[in-house]
Amino acid sequence: EDRVKRWSFLPHKYIPKFIKKETFYYKYRLLEGEVLSQRLNPKILDSLLVVLQKSFWNIRPQKPMNPVNLNDFYYKKTLSRIKHYLDRFEKTEKECIINDKTVLPAVKLLDYVNWDRIYNNVHWSRFHGDLHSENIIIDNNGVFGFIDWRQNFAGEFEFGDAYYDLAKLRHGFLVNHKIAKNKMFKITEHSNVNIELSILQYSNLIECENFFAGWCKFSGFDNYKINILTALIFLNIAGLHDYPYSKFLYYYGRHLLNKEIEKNDPNNTQ
């Protein structure tokens, strides 16, 4: 129901029309084309970002937003999702070595995030909310369409934090759906406290990741916040998947979170 409600706030030029809306389900028109992940390269990404900037992130509230609990959305939800993962798979978490780096438990790592930088730098705008490349369609003419938008952002229907969209987009460059589906990732436990992670990353997605970081900096977005939220996304989704992918996502999220914290303050987690 909330996704149906949100449809009215989205750019209808790029969003499929509803065919049927019932109490427990809805149906919208099929968008012709293929998912963006099949064709993504820096040139197409640049075109996509132009559309997103114009039709989503430049559409800002005309009056101050009512306070929303970003702590609930970013911090407490992450704690809850970490607990969900642990309850399903590991019960407790401990300090370990991930790819030759000592990494604190995820819950402890959250204490070292610069939350003021996360909460005081909100880009309120129109938002999609689940903006990874499997939810973006591109047709033969290079026209984009967007499906499966998030139902709300911290209870808000019209405006949300564009940084969440940016982080969702980046997480798809790092872990591609096709790579994950074909199990082209690896998690090796040399001991219960020594983990080695690896995943295949297509060269075009590496190029997109580098282009994206430069674009975000040029456009005035904070790459620290984007990278922290990307790590949180992996921690949030880990418990929603099955083993061994769940375990890979959890430790990959810890790895990325530790990496970003150390990059900004090398002594922070020591």
Side-chain angles (χ1 to χ4, degrees), residues 101 109 112 117 170 209-210 213 222-228 255-270:
K101 295 287 292 184
L109 279 175
Y112 293 95
R117 193 165 168 181
R170 179 175 179 260
E209 182 190 357
N210 293 331
D222 180 5
N223 275 306
Y224 171 83
K225 179 171 178 178
I226 295 168
N227 295 346
I228 290 291
H255 165 69
L256 292 178
L257 190 56
N258 182 73
K259 181 180 178 181
E260 190 62 26
I261 291 168
E262 281 201 342
K263 186 169 73 175
N264 284 271
D265 186 353
N267 300 313
N268 217 350
T269 60
Q270 304 301 312

Side-chain angles (χ1 to χ4, degrees), residues 17-265:
K17 293 181 179 180
F18 281 106
I19 300 172
K20 194 171 187 178
K21 293 177 277 187
E22 300 290 347
T23 304
F24 298 108
Y25 77 96
Y26 57 86
K27 182 189 295 187
Y28 49 65
R29 293 189 182 280
L30 177 70
L31 292 181
E32 298 293 335
E34 57 186 334
V35 291
L36 182 65
S37 58
Q38 302 296 323
R39 291 176 52 186
L40 193 57
N41 60 48
K43 183 177 180 181
I44 289 175
L45 177 59
D46 188 31
S47 299
L48 171 68
L49 291 168
V50 169
V51 170
L52 289 167
Q53 189 84 303
K54 180 179 179 181
S55 297
F56 283 86
W57 304 327
N58 279 352
I59 310 301
R60 310 293 298 274
Q62 297 300 306
K63 57 184 179 180
M65 290 293 296
N66 293 325
V68 301
N69 200 330
L70 293 173
N71 186 61
D72 280 355
F73 188 80
Y74 285 136
Y75 177 73
K76 290 186 178 180
K77 179 161 69 76
T78 300
L79 285 179
S80 175
R81 291 291 185 84
I82 291 171
K83 182 179 184 303
H84 177 66
Y85 168 81
L86 294 173
D87 287 344
R88 284 191 69 195
F89 298 107
E90 300 199 24
K91 306 309 176 189
T92 61
E93 59 174 5
K94 51 187 172 292
E95 182 178 297
C96 66
I97 296 169
I98 305 176
N99 288 4
D100 298 323
K101 295 287 292 184
T102 301
V103 178
L104 293 174
V107 171
K108 294 289 186 184
L109 279 175
L110 294 177
D111 293 339
Y112 293 95
V113 171
N114 185 341
W115 290 106
D116 286 341
R117 193 165 168 181
I118 303 298
Y119 298 148
N120 296 333
N121 188 21
V122 179
H123 182 99
W124 289 110
S125 69
R126 178 184 283 169
F127 72 104
H128 180 281
D130 198 10
L131 192 69
H132 58 79
S133 55
E134 300 299 311
N135 286 343
I136 303 170
I137 307 298
I138 182 171
D139 69 14
N140 291 332
N141 297 314
V143 176
F144 299 104
F146 303 96
I147 61 173
D148 291 356
W149 47 90
R150 186 180 177 86
Q151 66 270 30
N152 64 67
F153 180 87
E156 290 289 333
F157 291 95
E158 186 171 5
F159 299 109
D161 189 359
Y163 276 95
Y164 193 64
D165 275 354
L166 291 161
K168 279 282 186 173
L169 198 56
R170 179 175 179 260
H171 110 281
F173 304 151
L174 301 178
V175 177
N176 173 263
H177 177 77
K178 185 177 179 181
I179 295 293
K181 184 178 180 180
N182 292 329
K183 299 183 179 179
M184 300 166 79
F185 60 89
K186 189 174 181 180
I187 177 164
T188 304
E189 295 184 71
H190 297 292
S191 72
N192 63 352
V193 291
N194 190 345
I195 307 293
E196 184 178 349
L197 303 172
S198 61
I199 185 168
L200 179 66
Q201 193 176 11
Y202 295 130
S203 60
N204 64 309
L205 296 183
I206 295 173
E207 292 171 359
C208 285
E209 182 190 357
N210 293 331
F211 175 86
F212 181 72
W215 182 91
C216 289
K217 183 177 181 180
F218 177 81
S219 301
F221 291 108
D222 180 5
N223 275 306
Y224 171 83
K225 179 171 178 178
I226 295 168
N227 295 346
I228 290 291
L229 294 185
T230 303
L232 298 189
I233 286 168
F234 286 115
L235 289 172
N236 272 260
I237 65 176
L240 307 180
H241 292 274
D242 294 324
Y243 180 88
Y245 188 45
S246 57
K247 189 163 192 170
F248 174 83
L249 292 170
Y250 166 73
Y251 282 99
Y252 191 55
R254 280 177 67 175
H255 165 69
L256 292 178
L257 190 56
N258 182 73
K259 181 180 178 181
E260 190 62 26
I261 291 168
E262 281 201 342
K263 186 169 73 175
N264 284 271
D265 186 353

